[in-house]
Amino acid sequence: RRFIRLFECHNVHRNQIPRFFGHGLELKDVQDDSSLIGKLDEPLLEAACERFGVRREWLDGAESQIYSCHDFYKRPEDVRPFLLRLRAANPDGQLEGILIAPEGGSGEAVVVLNEMIGAVGEKPIYRYHLCNNWDFDYWKSRAYLTAFVAICWKNGVRVRGTYLPGKAIQRIALGESLV
């Protein structure tokens, strides 16, 4: 179920998985869970985790944290090399970000970097990179967050902002919610 959920939450319908993902999967393999279970092997599961940037422990059902989180608080010098690694690994993929700040300005903020990894028809499919540990209440943390966004912009990664309730941000920031 998590394998199918992973694709569907990234806007790839069950019937589109063979076309988008490949790896020897055919339409008959994804028609239901019992057909799929026989095809799930280690290389296939690892490839799915790599494609969407999710943790294997989550896909196995062993842990609740879906995404690995990146922490750049007090380390702005690490942002540019991180962005360059993302670009080098996927030179054709668009990379942009969303800064999600807490409504009312109190709580944790998170930056979600969206990396385009393909498309199904006209619909782009993204891999997400969570950059967390930004305490929006603390002025110094906001200054480091501002530096992070400025470095992104300087490196061609546009970051836009939005607001969400604190509880929703917390689940995203901990990597425990599919984006």
Side-chain angles (χ1 to χ4, degrees):
R1 283 184 293 205
R2 285 186 182 212
F3 184 83
I4 296 297
R5 185 172 160 222
L6 174 65
F7 282 88
E8 288 181 342
C9 285
H10 285 87
N11 290 323
V12 179
H13 187 273
R14 177 187 283 262
N15 296 333
Q16 297 171 321
I17 293 173
R19 181 168 38 127
F20 174 75
F21 187 58
H23 291 277
L25 289 176
E26 297 177 16
L27 196 54
K28 65 180 175 149
D29 299 325
V30 296
Q31 67 183 348
D32 56 38
D33 292 348
S34 60
S35 300
L36 179 61
I37 199 77
K39 294 296 256 182
L40 296 179
D41 58 9
E42 289 300 314
L44 185 93
L45 294 172
E46 287 295 328
C49 290
E50 176 68 27
R51 174 67 64 101
F52 291 109
V54 299
R55 299 176 67 242
R56 176 63 191 269
E57 295 82 2
W58 173 80
L59 192 59
D60 291 341
E63 293 185 16
S64 62
Q65 184 182 7
I66 301 166
Y67 299 100
S68 296
C69 298
H70 308 280
D71 184 355
F72 296 103
Y73 176 61
K74 293 187 178 182
R75 296 180 305 126
E77 68 277 2
D78 294 344
V79 176
R80 186 171 190 278
F82 174 70
L83 296 174
L84 292 176
R85 279 194 308 275
L86 292 178
R87 292 253 192 230
N90 186 8
D92 297 329
Q94 296 173 349
L95 189 61
E96 57 189 29
I98 301 172
L99 165 59
I100 305 171
E103 290 177 345
S106 182
E108 185 174 5
V110 65
V111 177
V112 179
L113 296 177
N114 308 319
E115 176 186 8
M116 190 170 144
I117 57 171
V120 175
E122 300 290 318
K123 184 173 45 176
I125 308 300
Y126 296 97
R127 172 177 30 234
Y128 303 105
H129 305 277
L130 305 181
C131 303
N132 67 354
N133 196 25
W134 307 108
D135 182 357
F136 218 65
D137 294 327
Y138 184 43
W139 70 270
K140 202 170 195 177
S141 179
R142 286 193 313 273
Y144 280 112
L145 177 57
T146 302
F148 175 89
V149 171
I151 293 167
C152 285
W153 275 78
K154 187 172 183 174
N155 286 278
V157 179
R158 303 297 176 240
V159 179
R160 65 181 178 86
T162 191
Y163 294 97
L164 280 178
K167 287 187 179 191
I169 293 173
Q170 189 175 22
R171 287 191 44 86
I172 294 170
L174 294 174
E176 294 179 347
S177 175
L178 283 165
V179 180

